[in-house]
């Protein structure tokens, strides 16, 4: 493992829930590989003291995109040791209530809530490697309708790198699917997949691995991974998950995601001093 910067805390052994198997592999997570370790790092960029979401770039391996609770339409970048990799402004978009990030075929997806509507903005990943700077324009925006549900309750989304459907986490623990639009201004309707059995107060985030075989449910106490063909993630998560706990890490998570090629897992959150903290499993 590489040497971490001085702000990184010592490696923390992870507890694997009721099983000696793991979900880490060379490409997609492999449930038969031995479990390893996790580490925590203070995020260097002070703008992430109020983090909202993190997602790994699929174009620039080792780079993570993150958003924070702030006024500017900025997407920050960091590496898996918490070091700053610049930021870029999303042009053509007024910052409202950004909720979550996803990556799809070289594009960054931003979930936005505004006036009771859920919108998904598509922005191209930067063409040049980090450190990032400058602006990236919004390429298209779609609105999502969920009949009978207040859209203000949607807080997370997941999609595989080549998938055609978004999975949305709404209403405190119910999953929905909707097609990812390919045209600007499209309005799609989401359909319910199923409800998660965990208390809504424990659920933090939902995401899908790049290859589409695994879902990650981030909770206040653990990172939970389930395997499925993707047709019903609620059923797969309720049937049983592999769990990695944060151990002694000082973190209140706000977001979790698979990393480049699905090899790593990351949780972004705050520590007891409200500083941004990144928790990473199997940090190479």
């Amino acid at each position: 493992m590489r040497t971490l910067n001085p702000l990184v805390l010592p490696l923390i052994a992870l507890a694997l829930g009721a099983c000696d198997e793991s979900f880490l592999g060379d490409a997609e997570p492999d449930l038969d590989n031995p479990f390893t370790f996790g580490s925590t790092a203070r995020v260097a960029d002070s703008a992430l003291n109020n983090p909202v979401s993190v997602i790994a770039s699929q174009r620039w391996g080792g780079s993570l995109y993150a958003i924070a609770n702030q006024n500017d339409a900025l997407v920050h970048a960091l590496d898996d040791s918490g070091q700053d990799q610049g930021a870029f402004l999303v042009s053509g978009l007024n910052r409202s209530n950004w909720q979550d990030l996803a990556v799809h075929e070289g594009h960054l997806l931003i979930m936005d809530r505004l006036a009771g509507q859920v919108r998904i903005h598509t922005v191209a990943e930067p063409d040049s490697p980090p450190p990032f700077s400058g602006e990236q324009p919004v390429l298209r925006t779609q609105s999502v309708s969920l009949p009978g549900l207040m859209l203000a309750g949607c807080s997370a989304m997941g999609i595989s790198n080549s998938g055609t459907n978004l999975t949305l986490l709404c209403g405190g623990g119910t999953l929905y699917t909707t097609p990812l639009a390919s045209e600007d201004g499209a309005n799609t309707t989401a359909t319910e997949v199923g409800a998660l059995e965990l208390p809504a107060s424990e659920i933090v985030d939902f995401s899908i691995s790049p290859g589409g075989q695994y879902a990650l449910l981030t909770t206040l106490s653990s990172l939970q991974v389930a395997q499925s063909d993707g047709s019903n993630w609620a059923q797969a998560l309720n049937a049983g998950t592999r769990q990695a706990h944060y151990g002694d890490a000082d973190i209140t998570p706000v977001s979790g995601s698979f990393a480049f090629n699905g090899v790593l897992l990351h949780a972004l959150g705050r520590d007891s001093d409200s500083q941004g903290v990144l928790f990473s499993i199997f940090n190479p």
Side-chain angles (χ1 to χ4, degrees):
M1 299 180 72
R2 75 182 181 195
T3 301
L4 299 177
N5 67 67
L7 293 176
V8 178
L9 303 179
L11 288 177
I12 299 169
L14 299 177
L16 182 62
C19 186
D20 60 0
E21 295 178 328
S22 150
F23 41 78
L24 298 175
D26 294 330
E28 276 291 307
D30 183 348
L31 297 179
D32 294 325
N33 276 358
F35 205 71
T36 56
F37 295 98
S39 63
T40 54
R42 179 73 59 83
V43 175
D45 190 344
S46 61
L48 288 176
N49 285 351
N50 295 298
V52 171
S53 180
V54 67
I55 194 72
S57 169
Q58 293 300 306
R59 182 169 189 176
W60 306 111
S63 294
L64 309 174
Y65 301 119
I67 53 176
N69 187 7
Q70 61 186 85
N71 294 325
D72 297 329
L74 281 172
V75 175
H76 302 268
L78 57 149
D79 65 17
D80 56 16
S81 65
Q83 294 302 297
D84 181 27
Q85 288 194 326
F88 58 86
L89 180 70
V90 179
S91 61
L93 180 64
N94 292 325
R95 177 67 183 258
S96 53
N97 192 1
W98 289 6
Q99 294 293 310
D100 201 20
L101 299 173
V103 171
H104 180 262
E105 294 186 335
H107 294 82
L108 184 66
L109 308 180
I110 303 172
M111 173 187 275
D112 182 12
R113 288 199 324 232
L114 179 64
Q117 289 187 330
V118 167
R119 302 181 299 173
I120 309 297
H121 308 290
T122 298
V123 180
E125 291 196 58
D127 290 329
S128 300
F132 301 123
S133 62
E135 300 182 358
Q136 293 292 111
V138 173
L139 301 178
R140 56 185 175 271
T141 295
Q142 81 179 82
S143 298
V144 182
S145 299
L146 283 78
L149 180 72
M150 290 183 62
L151 294 179
C154 294
S155 60
M157 63 179 170
I159 189 171
S160 66
N161 194 35
S162 59
T164 58
N165 290 318
L166 280 166
T167 299
L168 308 178
L169 173 64
C170 305
T174 303
L175 297 182
Y176 292 77
T177 61
T178 192
L180 178 63
S182 58
E183 298 180 357
D184 184 40
N187 191 313
T188 61
T189 300
T191 57
E192 183 176 340
V193 174
L196 299 174
E197 295 176 353
L198 280 176
S201 60
E202 292 291 314
I203 298 172
V204 173
D205 195 15
F206 170 85
S207 61
I208 295 174
S209 67
Q213 299 177 19
Y214 297 87
L216 172 64
L217 187 66
T218 304
T219 75
L220 290 177
S221 60
S222 67
L223 295 166
Q224 303 187 14
V225 174
Q227 184 176 8
S228 170
D229 61 5
S231 60
N232 193 324
W233 285 119
Q235 184 180 65
L237 289 164
N238 290 336
T241 61
R242 299 291 187 264
Q243 299 187 27
H245 297 275
Y246 307 119
D248 294 329
D250 181 10
I251 180 173
T252 300
V254 298
S255 178
S257 72
F258 291 91
F260 185 70
N261 286 335
V263 179
L264 312 179
L265 295 173
H266 295 297
L268 180 68
R270 300 178 300 272
D271 63 14
S272 55
D273 295 323
S274 297
Q275 301 281 338
V277 173
L278 182 70
F279 177 84
S280 301
I281 295 176
F282 192 51
N283 196 358

